Amino acid sequence: MTEDLPAVDIAQWLRKLEQLNPGKIELGLDRITRVAQRMLPDSIADKVLSVAGTNGKGSCLCVSEQILLAAGYRVGSYTSPHISRFNERIRIQGESVSDAQLCAAFSVVEIARQDSYLTYFEFTTLAAFYLFSQARLDVALLEVGLGGRLDAVNIVDADVAVVTSIALDHQGWLGDTREEIGREKAGIFRAGVPAICGDPDPPDALLNHATAIGAPSQLLGEAFGYEERGAEHWNWWTRTGAAPAQIDSLPTPSLPLVNAAIALQAIHQLGLTLTRDHIESGLRTAALAGRFQRFNTPVPTVFDVAHNEASATYLATKLAAQSIGGKIVMICGILADKDVDRIVAPLVPLGDIWLVTGLEAERATPAQVLEKIVTDAGGRNVATCKNVPAAMQVAYHQATQNDLVVVFGSFYTVADGLEYMNRIALDG
């Protein structure tokens, strides 16, 4: 593969990787394990934190990353998917890796794989792990891409394993019930390694697996937890470690509080030295693109990657708590392999205008199909648009400064919307 690839042409590399298995997800660890043994050392960092879950993975890792960086640790973070650039997936010391670093890592993977077949995600995961192994990291933060047991990230044994939440998503690969999905996510647990779960009602299958392999479970509300103290402060507590501990009056982060609490518990279990100042600094700086990301433009706009029932319900709760003087304009694009009806349902009562759109993705729900689903669910003033930028143009033409535009439904939707926002900002 590498013969015709310039050393730093990341676009050409990514096109090649996308052709490995276009549109396919192939779970399993045999392929990637064989290649990893040829190219990776025994450890990619001194400490490894792996995070699985239906929602909240990115927020948990972001908070962890910012706190650890504030404490002076060398940190690498691997997440997926990206919003604007592939480089966002792999960060070292809080910065996305360069095109040159990525191309060098891809070349190493290509040589190591020999004649082995790798999927896109397997290939890019190995590239991330190679870069981490070269960076002399104190901590590697790993987001499990899909499920847990058979996800490529799971070739690495974590020092702390987290499952943030369990809800229905990716049923075609993980199962049709929370029990089945929980069992898959529990596959990242290891014997003797803290198994943290932030779901308020963890499936029995997850708990039973942890018990069966000897992974000490640490459950939200039992081993650790949090208390909201008004809009600006909260308390965190834990019953794990040498003695119970509590930190009061922490600043409320911009990301979901439950995920910040999980992050603190995970860092606590890594056994690293932290001060209150480190924690407060990390909480204040932690932010993620596309997670209730608000722009106070002439027409206020919120971007959210809500793409399953649980995240859509959370988005609806956040919107209901906003003080909005006018109407809410919903711009929505969703992939066809999602449960579109359940995603739309909690948001239908809030939308005064719905602009539904197709996406430039192979798995996109056609706009006309989405229009019928939203209309049948009770959506008001529903119209189709060619794409997200076209929908935003319509929204900004109709809306005023008292209204709110909400762009949601997929990472693709948010990526297209943010690109449009950047373009109109550059145009002045």
Short mmCIF file of all heavy atoms in Angstrom, two decimals, residues 273-339:
data_model
loop_
_atom_site.label_atom_id
_atom_site.label_comp_id
_atom_site.label_asym_id
_atom_site.label_seq_id
_atom_site.Cartn_x
_atom_site.Cartn_y
_atom_site.Cartn_z
N THR A 273 -0.90 11.37 42.00
CA THR A 273 -0.93 12.49 42.93
C THR A 273 -1.62 13.69 42.30
O THR A 273 -1.21 14.17 41.23
CB THR A 273 0.50 12.89 43.35
OG1 THR A 273 1.13 11.76 43.95
CG2 THR A 273 0.47 14.05 44.33
N LEU A 274 -2.69 14.17 42.97
CA LEU A 274 -3.44 15.31 42.48
C LEU A 274 -3.74 16.25 43.64
O LEU A 274 -3.87 15.81 44.78
CB LEU A 274 -4.76 14.87 41.84
CG LEU A 274 -4.71 13.97 40.62
CD1 LEU A 274 -6.10 13.45 40.31
CD2 LEU A 274 -4.15 14.71 39.42
N THR A 275 -3.88 17.51 43.33
CA THR A 275 -4.33 18.48 44.32
C THR A 275 -5.70 19.02 43.93
O THR A 275 -6.16 18.81 42.79
CB THR A 275 -3.36 19.66 44.43
OG1 THR A 275 -3.42 20.43 43.20
CG2 THR A 275 -1.94 19.18 44.65
N ARG A 276 -6.34 19.71 44.84
CA ARG A 276 -7.63 20.34 44.53
C ARG A 276 -7.48 21.32 43.36
O ARG A 276 -8.36 21.40 42.50
CB ARG A 276 -8.17 21.05 45.76
CG ARG A 276 -9.53 21.70 45.52
CD ARG A 276 -9.99 22.55 46.68
NE ARG A 276 -11.28 23.15 46.35
CZ ARG A 276 -12.46 22.65 46.70
NH1 ARG A 276 -12.52 21.54 47.41
NH2 ARG A 276 -13.57 23.26 46.35
N ASP A 277 -6.36 22.06 43.33
CA ASP A 277 -6.15 23.02 42.23
C ASP A 277 -6.12 22.31 40.88
O ASP A 277 -6.66 22.82 39.88
CB ASP A 277 -4.85 23.79 42.44
CG ASP A 277 -4.95 24.83 43.53
OD1 ASP A 277 -6.09 25.16 43.93
OD2 ASP A 277 -3.89 25.32 43.99
N HIS A 278 -5.49 21.14 40.82
CA HIS A 278 -5.45 20.37 39.57
C HIS A 278 -6.87 20.00 39.14
O HIS A 278 -7.23 20.12 37.96
CB HIS A 278 -4.62 19.10 39.75
CG HIS A 278 -3.20 19.34 40.11
ND1 HIS A 278 -2.48 18.48 40.91
CD2 HIS A 278 -2.35 20.35 39.79
CE1 HIS A 278 -1.25 18.93 41.06
NE2 HIS A 278 -1.15 20.07 40.40
N ILE A 279 -7.65 19.51 40.08
CA ILE A 279 -9.02 19.08 39.77
C ILE A 279 -9.86 20.27 39.31
O ILE A 279 -10.57 20.19 38.29
CB ILE A 279 -9.65 18.39 40.99
CG1 ILE A 279 -8.91 17.09 41.31
CG2 ILE A 279 -11.13 18.12 40.76
CD1 ILE A 279 -9.29 16.46 42.62
N GLU A 280 -9.79 21.38 40.04
CA GLU A 280 -10.58 22.55 39.66
C GLU A 280 -10.18 23.07 38.28
O GLU A 280 -11.04 23.43 37.47
CB GLU A 280 -10.42 23.64 40.71
CG GLU A 280 -11.11 23.33 42.03
CD GLU A 280 -11.15 24.54 42.95
OE1 GLU A 280 -10.58 25.59 42.57
OE2 GLU A 280 -11.78 24.43 44.03
N SER A 281 -8.89 23.11 38.02
CA SER A 281 -8.42 23.58 36.71
C SER A 281 -8.95 22.70 35.59
O SER A 281 -9.43 23.18 34.56
CB SER A 281 -6.89 23.61 36.68
OG SER A 281 -6.42 23.96 35.40
N GLY A 282 -8.87 21.38 35.78
CA GLY A 282 -9.35 20.46 34.76
C GLY A 282 -10.84 20.58 34.53
O GLY A 282 -11.32 20.54 33.38
N LEU A 283 -11.61 20.72 35.60
CA LEU A 283 -13.06 20.86 35.46
C LEU A 283 -13.43 22.13 34.70
O LEU A 283 -14.38 22.16 33.91
CB LEU A 283 -13.72 20.87 36.83
CG LEU A 283 -13.70 19.54 37.59
CD1 LEU A 283 -14.17 19.74 39.03
CD2 LEU A 283 -14.58 18.50 36.89
N ARG A 284 -12.69 23.20 34.93
CA ARG A 284 -13.01 24.47 34.27
C ARG A 284 -12.65 24.46 32.79
O ARG A 284 -13.30 25.13 31.98
CB ARG A 284 -12.28 25.62 34.97
CG ARG A 284 -12.81 25.96 36.37
CD ARG A 284 -12.26 27.29 36.85
NE ARG A 284 -12.84 27.64 38.15
CZ ARG A 284 -12.21 27.48 39.31
NH1 ARG A 284 -10.99 26.97 39.33
NH2 ARG A 284 -12.80 27.83 40.44
N THR A 285 -11.62 23.73 32.42
CA THR A 285 -11.16 23.77 31.03
C THR A 285 -11.74 22.66 30.16
O THR A 285 -11.64 22.74 28.94
CB THR A 285 -9.62 23.69 30.98
OG1 THR A 285 -9.19 22.50 31.67
CG2 THR A 285 -8.99 24.91 31.62
N ALA A 286 -12.34 21.66 30.77
CA ALA A 286 -12.85 20.52 29.98
C ALA A 286 -14.03 20.95 29.11
O ALA A 286 -15.03 21.47 29.61
CB ALA A 286 -13.28 19.39 30.91
N ALA A 287 -13.89 20.75 27.81
CA ALA A 287 -14.97 21.09 26.87
C ALA A 287 -14.80 20.23 25.62
O ALA A 287 -13.68 19.89 25.23
CB ALA A 287 -14.92 22.57 26.50
N LEU A 288 -15.91 19.87 25.00
CA LEU A 288 -15.89 19.04 23.80
C LEU A 288 -16.74 19.67 22.71
O LEU A 288 -17.86 20.12 22.97
CB LEU A 288 -16.43 17.64 24.10
CG LEU A 288 -15.50 16.65 24.78
CD1 LEU A 288 -16.26 15.36 25.07
CD2 LEU A 288 -14.28 16.35 23.91
N ALA A 289 -16.22 19.66 21.50
CA ALA A 289 -17.01 20.12 20.37
C ALA A 289 -18.22 19.21 20.18
O ALA A 289 -18.12 17.99 20.30
CB ALA A 289 -16.16 20.12 19.10
N GLY A 290 -19.37 19.83 19.92
CA GLY A 290 -20.55 19.04 19.60
C GLY A 290 -21.28 18.46 20.79
O GLY A 290 -22.19 17.66 20.62
N ARG A 291 -20.91 18.85 22.00
CA ARG A 291 -21.64 18.41 23.19
C ARG A 291 -22.31 19.63 23.80
O ARG A 291 -21.71 20.39 24.53
CB ARG A 291 -20.71 17.75 24.22
CG ARG A 291 -20.46 16.28 23.97
CD ARG A 291 -19.61 16.04 22.77
NE ARG A 291 -19.07 14.68 22.74
CZ ARG A 291 -18.16 14.29 21.87
NH1 ARG A 291 -17.69 15.13 20.97
NH2 ARG A 291 -17.69 13.05 21.91
N PHE A 292 -23.54 19.86 23.42
CA PHE A 292 -24.29 21.05 23.78
C PHE A 292 -23.40 22.29 23.62
O PHE A 292 -23.27 23.11 24.52
CB PHE A 292 -24.88 20.98 25.19
CG PHE A 292 -26.14 21.81 25.31
CD1 PHE A 292 -27.34 21.33 24.86
CD2 PHE A 292 -26.10 23.09 25.87
CE1 PHE A 292 -28.50 22.10 24.95
CE2 PHE A 292 -27.24 23.86 25.97
CZ PHE A 292 -28.44 23.36 25.50
N GLN A 293 -22.78 22.37 22.45
CA GLN A 293 -21.86 23.46 22.13
C GLN A 293 -22.67 24.65 21.62
O GLN A 293 -23.31 24.57 20.57
CB GLN A 293 -20.84 23.01 21.10
CG GLN A 293 -19.79 24.03 20.74
CD GLN A 293 -18.82 23.50 19.71
OE1 GLN A 293 -18.98 22.40 19.17
NE2 GLN A 293 -17.79 24.28 19.41
N ARG A 294 -22.62 25.75 22.34
CA ARG A 294 -23.46 26.91 22.01
C ARG A 294 -22.63 28.02 21.38
O ARG A 294 -21.54 28.33 21.84
CB ARG A 294 -24.16 27.43 23.26
CG ARG A 294 -25.10 28.60 22.98
CD ARG A 294 -25.79 29.08 24.24
NE ARG A 294 -26.63 30.23 23.97
CZ ARG A 294 -27.95 30.27 24.10
NH1 ARG A 294 -28.58 29.19 24.51
NH2 ARG A 294 -28.63 31.36 23.82
N PHE A 295 -23.18 28.60 20.33
CA PHE A 295 -22.61 29.78 19.69
C PHE A 295 -23.60 30.93 19.86
O PHE A 295 -24.76 30.84 19.44
CB PHE A 295 -22.37 29.53 18.20
CG PHE A 295 -21.22 28.62 17.90
CD1 PHE A 295 -21.38 27.24 18.00
CD2 PHE A 295 -19.99 29.12 17.54
CE1 PHE A 295 -20.33 26.38 17.73
CE2 PHE A 295 -18.93 28.27 17.27
CZ PHE A 295 -19.09 26.90 17.36
N ASN A 296 -23.15 32.02 20.49
CA ASN A 296 -24.02 33.18 20.67
C ASN A 296 -23.90 34.11 19.48
O ASN A 296 -23.51 35.27 19.57
CB ASN A 296 -23.66 33.90 21.98
CG ASN A 296 -24.04 33.08 23.18
OD1 ASN A 296 -25.11 32.47 23.22
ND2 ASN A 296 -23.15 33.01 24.16
N THR A 297 -24.22 33.55 18.31
CA THR A 297 -24.26 34.28 17.05
C THR A 297 -25.54 35.10 17.00
O THR A 297 -26.38 35.00 17.90
CB THR A 297 -24.18 33.28 15.90
OG1 THR A 297 -25.03 32.16 16.20
CG2 THR A 297 -22.77 32.74 15.72
N PRO A 298 -25.74 35.92 15.96
CA PRO A 298 -26.99 36.69 15.89
C PRO A 298 -28.24 35.85 16.13
O PRO A 298 -29.19 36.31 16.76
CB PRO A 298 -26.95 37.27 14.48
CG PRO A 298 -25.49 37.46 14.22
CD PRO A 298 -24.81 36.29 14.88
N VAL A 299 -28.23 34.62 15.63
CA VAL A 299 -29.26 33.65 16.02
C VAL A 299 -28.55 32.58 16.85
O VAL A 299 -27.75 31.81 16.31
CB VAL A 299 -29.95 33.00 14.81
CG1 VAL A 299 -30.98 31.97 15.27
CG2 VAL A 299 -30.61 34.06 13.94
N PRO A 300 -28.78 32.52 18.16
CA PRO A 300 -28.09 31.53 19.00
C PRO A 300 -28.26 30.11 18.44
O PRO A 300 -29.36 29.73 18.02
CB PRO A 300 -28.78 31.68 20.36
CG PRO A 300 -29.29 33.08 20.36
CD PRO A 300 -29.69 33.36 18.94
N THR A 301 -27.16 29.34 18.45
CA THR A 301 -27.15 28.01 17.85
C THR A 301 -26.46 27.02 18.77
O THR A 301 -25.41 27.32 19.32
CB THR A 301 -26.44 28.04 16.49
OG1 THR A 301 -27.04 29.03 15.65
CG2 THR A 301 -26.53 26.69 15.80
N VAL A 302 -27.07 25.85 18.92
CA VAL A 302 -26.50 24.77 19.73
C VAL A 302 -26.23 23.57 18.83
O VAL A 302 -27.08 23.19 18.00
CB VAL A 302 -27.46 24.36 20.86
CG1 VAL A 302 -27.04 23.02 21.48
CG2 VAL A 302 -27.49 25.43 21.94
N PHE A 303 -25.05 22.97 18.98
CA PHE A 303 -24.70 21.74 18.27
C PHE A 303 -24.57 20.61 19.27
O PHE A 303 -23.90 20.76 20.30
CB PHE A 303 -23.37 21.92 17.52
CG PHE A 303 -23.42 22.93 16.42
CD1 PHE A 303 -23.17 24.27 16.68
CD2 PHE A 303 -23.72 22.55 15.13
CE1 PHE A 303 -23.21 25.21 15.67
CE2 PHE A 303 -23.77 23.47 14.10
CZ PHE A 303 -23.52 24.82 14.37
N ASP A 304 -25.20 19.47 18.97
CA ASP A 304 -25.11 18.33 19.86
C ASP A 304 -25.15 17.04 19.05
O ASP A 304 -26.01 16.87 18.18
CB ASP A 304 -26.26 18.33 20.87
CG ASP A 304 -25.97 17.45 22.07
OD1 ASP A 304 -25.98 16.21 21.90
OD2 ASP A 304 -25.74 17.97 23.16
N VAL A 305 -24.21 16.13 19.34
CA VAL A 305 -24.09 14.89 18.57
C VAL A 305 -25.07 13.82 19.05
O VAL A 305 -24.90 12.63 18.70
CB VAL A 305 -22.66 14.33 18.61
CG1 VAL A 305 -21.70 15.27 17.93
CG2 VAL A 305 -22.22 14.06 20.06
N ALA A 306 -26.10 14.20 19.79
CA ALA A 306 -27.10 13.23 20.27
C ALA A 306 -27.54 12.32 19.13
O ALA A 306 -28.12 12.78 18.15
CB ALA A 306 -28.30 13.97 20.86
N HIS A 307 -27.29 11.01 19.27
CA HIS A 307 -27.56 10.09 18.16
C HIS A 307 -28.17 8.76 18.64
O HIS A 307 -28.16 7.77 17.92
CB HIS A 307 -26.28 9.81 17.37
CG HIS A 307 -25.18 9.21 18.19
ND1 HIS A 307 -24.44 9.95 19.08
CD2 HIS A 307 -24.70 7.95 18.26
CE1 HIS A 307 -23.55 9.16 19.66
NE2 HIS A 307 -23.69 7.93 19.19
N ASN A 308 -28.67 8.75 19.88
CA ASN A 308 -29.45 7.61 20.35
C ASN A 308 -30.48 8.13 21.36
O ASN A 308 -30.50 9.32 21.68
CB ASN A 308 -28.55 6.53 20.96
CG ASN A 308 -27.61 7.07 22.02
OD1 ASN A 308 -28.02 7.83 22.90
ND2 ASN A 308 -26.34 6.69 21.95
N GLU A 309 -31.34 7.25 21.82
CA GLU A 309 -32.45 7.68 22.68
C GLU A 309 -31.95 8.36 23.95
O GLU A 309 -32.47 9.41 24.36
CB GLU A 309 -33.33 6.49 23.03
CG GLU A 309 -34.52 6.86 23.90
CD GLU A 309 -35.36 5.66 24.30
OE1 GLU A 309 -34.91 4.51 24.07
OE2 GLU A 309 -36.47 5.87 24.83
N ALA A 310 -30.95 7.78 24.59
CA ALA A 310 -30.47 8.32 25.86
C ALA A 310 -29.89 9.72 25.68
O ALA A 310 -30.16 10.64 26.47
CB ALA A 310 -29.44 7.38 26.48
N SER A 311 -29.06 9.90 24.65
CA SER A 311 -28.44 11.22 24.45
C SER A 311 -29.47 12.24 23.97
O SER A 311 -29.37 13.43 24.31
CB SER A 311 -27.27 11.12 23.47
OG SER A 311 -27.67 10.56 22.24
N ALA A 312 -30.47 11.80 23.20
CA ALA A 312 -31.53 12.72 22.78
C ALA A 312 -32.38 13.16 23.97
O ALA A 312 -32.81 14.32 24.05
CB ALA A 312 -32.40 12.06 21.72
N THR A 313 -32.61 12.24 24.89
CA THR A 313 -33.36 12.59 26.11
C THR A 313 -32.59 13.60 26.94
O THR A 313 -33.17 14.56 27.49
CB THR A 313 -33.65 11.32 26.94
OG1 THR A 313 -34.42 10.41 26.14
CG2 THR A 313 -34.41 11.65 28.21
N TYR A 314 -31.28 13.41 27.03
CA TYR A 314 -30.44 14.38 27.77
C TYR A 314 -30.48 15.74 27.09
O TYR A 314 -30.59 16.78 27.76
CB TYR A 314 -29.01 13.87 27.85
CG TYR A 314 -28.07 14.84 28.55
CD1 TYR A 314 -28.06 14.94 29.93
CD2 TYR A 314 -27.22 15.66 27.82
CE1 TYR A 314 -27.21 15.85 30.58
CE2 TYR A 314 -26.37 16.55 28.45
CZ TYR A 314 -26.37 16.64 29.83
OH TYR A 314 -25.54 17.53 30.46
N LEU A 315 -30.40 15.75 25.75
CA LEU A 315 -30.48 17.01 25.01
C LEU A 315 -31.81 17.70 25.27
O LEU A 315 -31.87 18.92 25.48
CB LEU A 315 -30.30 16.76 23.51
CG LEU A 315 -30.50 17.96 22.59
CD1 LEU A 315 -29.57 19.11 22.93
CD2 LEU A 315 -30.31 17.53 21.12
N ALA A 316 -32.89 16.93 25.28
CA ALA A 316 -34.22 17.50 25.55
C ALA A 316 -34.27 18.13 26.94
O ALA A 316 -34.84 19.22 27.13
CB ALA A 316 -35.29 16.43 25.41
N THR A 317 -33.65 17.48 27.92
CA THR A 317 -33.62 18.01 29.29
C THR A 317 -32.85 19.32 29.34
O THR A 317 -33.27 20.29 29.99
CB THR A 317 -32.97 16.99 30.24
OG1 THR A 317 -33.72 15.77 30.21
CG2 THR A 317 -32.93 17.51 31.66
N LYS A 318 -31.72 19.38 28.64
CA LYS A 318 -30.92 20.60 28.60
C LYS A 318 -31.68 21.73 27.93
O LYS A 318 -31.65 22.88 28.41
CB LYS A 318 -29.61 20.34 27.85
CG LYS A 318 -28.63 19.45 28.57
CD LYS A 318 -27.89 20.18 29.67
CE LYS A 318 -26.87 21.14 29.12
NZ LYS A 318 -26.07 21.79 30.21
N LEU A 319 -32.37 21.43 26.84
CA LEU A 319 -33.12 22.46 26.13
C LEU A 319 -34.29 22.97 26.97
O LEU A 319 -34.57 24.18 26.99
CB LEU A 319 -33.64 21.92 24.80
CG LEU A 319 -32.58 21.66 23.72
CD1 LEU A 319 -33.21 20.98 22.51
CD2 LEU A 319 -31.92 22.98 23.30
N ALA A 320 -34.97 22.06 27.65
CA ALA A 320 -36.11 22.45 28.48
C ALA A 320 -35.70 23.38 29.61
O ALA A 320 -36.50 24.19 30.10
CB ALA A 320 -36.80 21.22 29.04
N ALA A 321 -34.43 23.30 30.02
CA ALA A 321 -33.95 24.14 31.12
C ALA A 321 -33.49 25.51 30.65
O ALA A 321 -33.18 26.38 31.48
CB ALA A 321 -32.80 23.43 31.84
N GLN A 322 -33.42 25.72 29.33
CA GLN A 322 -32.97 26.99 28.79
C GLN A 322 -34.08 28.04 28.84
O GLN A 322 -35.27 27.71 28.73
CB GLN A 322 -32.52 26.82 27.33
CG GLN A 322 -31.43 25.80 27.13
CD GLN A 322 -30.13 26.15 27.82
OE1 GLN A 322 -29.55 27.20 27.58
NE2 GLN A 322 -29.68 25.26 28.69
N SER A 323 -33.67 29.28 28.97
CA SER A 323 -34.62 30.39 28.90
C SER A 323 -34.61 30.92 27.47
O SER A 323 -33.68 31.62 27.06
CB SER A 323 -34.22 31.49 29.89
OG SER A 323 -35.09 32.59 29.79
N ILE A 324 -35.64 30.55 26.71
CA ILE A 324 -35.71 30.89 25.29
C ILE A 324 -36.93 31.77 25.06
O ILE A 324 -38.07 31.35 25.33
CB ILE A 324 -35.77 29.62 24.42
CG1 ILE A 324 -34.56 28.73 24.70
CG2 ILE A 324 -35.84 29.98 22.93
CD1 ILE A 324 -34.66 27.36 24.11
N GLY A 325 -36.69 32.97 24.59
CA GLY A 325 -37.80 33.90 24.40
C GLY A 325 -38.65 33.61 23.19
O GLY A 325 -39.83 33.98 23.15
N GLY A 326 -38.09 32.96 22.19
CA GLY A 326 -38.82 32.71 20.95
C GLY A 326 -39.01 31.23 20.68
O GLY A 326 -39.28 30.44 21.58
N LYS A 327 -38.82 30.86 19.42
CA LYS A 327 -39.06 29.48 19.01
C LYS A 327 -37.75 28.70 18.90
O LYS A 327 -36.67 29.27 18.85
CB LYS A 327 -39.80 29.46 17.67
CG LYS A 327 -39.11 30.21 16.54
CD LYS A 327 -39.98 30.24 15.29
CE LYS A 327 -39.34 31.06 14.17
NZ LYS A 327 -39.27 32.50 14.48
N ILE A 328 -37.90 27.37 18.88
CA ILE A 328 -36.76 26.48 18.68
C ILE A 328 -36.85 25.87 17.30
O ILE A 328 -37.87 25.28 16.93
CB ILE A 328 -36.73 25.36 19.74
CG1 ILE A 328 -36.53 25.95 21.15
CG2 ILE A 328 -35.61 24.36 19.43
CD1 ILE A 328 -36.49 24.91 22.24
N VAL A 329 -35.78 26.03 16.53
CA VAL A 329 -35.70 25.46 15.18
C VAL A 329 -34.77 24.25 15.24
O VAL A 329 -33.58 24.39 15.54
CB VAL A 329 -35.17 26.48 14.16
CG1 VAL A 329 -35.14 25.87 12.76
CG2 VAL A 329 -36.01 27.75 14.18
N MET A 330 -35.32 23.08 14.98
CA MET A 330 -34.54 21.84 15.01
C MET A 330 -34.01 21.51 13.61
O MET A 330 -34.79 21.43 12.66
CB MET A 330 -35.40 20.67 15.49
CG MET A 330 -35.89 20.82 16.92
SD MET A 330 -34.55 20.56 18.08
CE MET A 330 -35.49 20.35 19.61
N ILE A 331 -32.69 21.33 13.49
CA ILE A 331 -32.08 20.82 12.26
C ILE A 331 -31.56 19.43 12.56
O ILE A 331 -30.73 19.23 13.44
CB ILE A 331 -30.94 21.74 11.80
CG1 ILE A 331 -31.50 23.11 11.43
CG2 ILE A 331 -30.20 21.12 10.62
CD1 ILE A 331 -30.45 24.12 11.03
N CYS A 332 -32.06 18.46 11.81
CA CYS A 332 -31.87 17.06 12.19
C CYS A 332 -31.43 16.21 11.01
O CYS A 332 -32.06 16.25 9.94
CB CYS A 332 -33.19 16.53 12.76
SG CYS A 332 -33.19 14.80 13.19
N GLY A 333 -30.34 15.46 11.19
CA GLY A 333 -29.90 14.45 10.23
C GLY A 333 -29.44 13.24 11.02
O GLY A 333 -28.65 13.38 11.96
N ILE A 334 -29.92 12.04 10.68
CA ILE A 334 -29.67 10.85 11.49
C ILE A 334 -29.29 9.68 10.57
O ILE A 334 -29.84 9.54 9.46
CB ILE A 334 -30.92 10.47 12.31
CG1 ILE A 334 -31.36 11.65 13.19
CG2 ILE A 334 -30.65 9.25 13.18
CD1 ILE A 334 -32.64 11.41 13.98
N LEU A 335 -28.40 8.83 11.03
CA LEU A 335 -28.03 7.64 10.27
C LEU A 335 -29.15 6.60 10.33
O LEU A 335 -29.86 6.48 11.32
CB LEU A 335 -26.73 7.04 10.82
CG LEU A 335 -25.50 7.93 10.71
CD1 LEU A 335 -24.28 7.19 11.26
CD2 LEU A 335 -25.25 8.36 9.28
N ALA A 336 -29.26 5.82 9.25
CA ALA A 336 -30.37 4.89 9.11
C ALA A 336 -30.28 3.70 10.05
O ALA A 336 -31.29 3.05 10.33
CB ALA A 336 -30.46 4.40 7.66
N ASP A 337 -29.08 3.37 10.54
CA ASP A 337 -28.96 2.23 11.44
C ASP A 337 -29.23 2.60 12.89
O ASP A 337 -29.04 1.80 13.80
CB ASP A 337 -27.60 1.55 11.30
CG ASP A 337 -26.43 2.49 11.55
OD1 ASP A 337 -26.68 3.66 11.93
OD2 ASP A 337 -25.27 2.08 11.35
N LYS A 338 -29.69 3.83 13.13
CA LYS A 338 -30.10 4.27 14.46
C LYS A 338 -31.61 4.10 14.63
O LYS A 338 -32.34 4.00 13.65
CB LYS A 338 -29.71 5.73 14.69
CG LYS A 338 -28.23 6.01 14.56
CD LYS A 338 -27.43 5.28 15.61
CE LYS A 338 -25.95 5.58 15.51
NZ LYS A 338 -25.16 4.88 16.55
N ASP A 339 -32.05 4.10 15.88
CA ASP A 339 -33.49 4.02 16.17
C ASP A 339 -34.06 5.43 16.08
O ASP A 339 -34.20 6.15 17.07
CB ASP A 339 -33.72 3.43 17.57
CG ASP A 339 -35.16 3.00 17.78
OD1 ASP A 339 -36.05 3.58 17.12
OD2 ASP A 339 -35.40 2.09 18.58
#
